[in-house]
Amino acid sequence: RSTPIKSSAAADVYKRQGEGHLIRDGQCVPITWSREKEDMPFTYTFADGSPATLAAGKTYVAVVPPESALDLE
């Protein structure tokens, strides 16, 4: 049984690439996320193409509609 996607942000997750922000170690930096296929894990890269690694432990990913106002300070 499939669940319909009601949000444009949720639909973005099914794309193969998108933009976001990585908040880690007290810093917020722009990243690109991508994956080869829907059933593969995401990879994250910085603007220069270097890998954006996640910290050890639990990771929280928030999918937010592009029209939302966010204050990333």
Side-chain angles (χ1 to χ4, degrees):
R1 175 178 152 196
S2 63
T3 303
I5 298 171
K6 297 178 182 176
S7 164
S8 62
D12 284 347
V13 174
Y14 291 95
K15 295 179 183 177
R16 299 207 180 189
Q17 182 173 331
E19 295 177 357
H21 289 84
L22 174 63
I23 302 170
R24 180 181 168 190
D25 301 325
Q27 304 223 354
C28 177
V29 292
I31 60 164
T32 299
W33 56 265
S34 62
R35 61 183 173 175
E36 294 290 320
K37 298 188 314 187
E38 275 187 27
D39 61 347
M40 296 188 71
F42 291 101
T43 58
Y44 306 95
T45 55
F46 295 114
D48 67 1
S50 63
T53 56
L54 304 177
K58 294 181 180 180
T59 300
Y60 175 76
V61 176
V63 179
V64 182
E67 63 274 8
S68 295
L70 296 176
D71 188 6
L72 300 172
E73 289 185 31

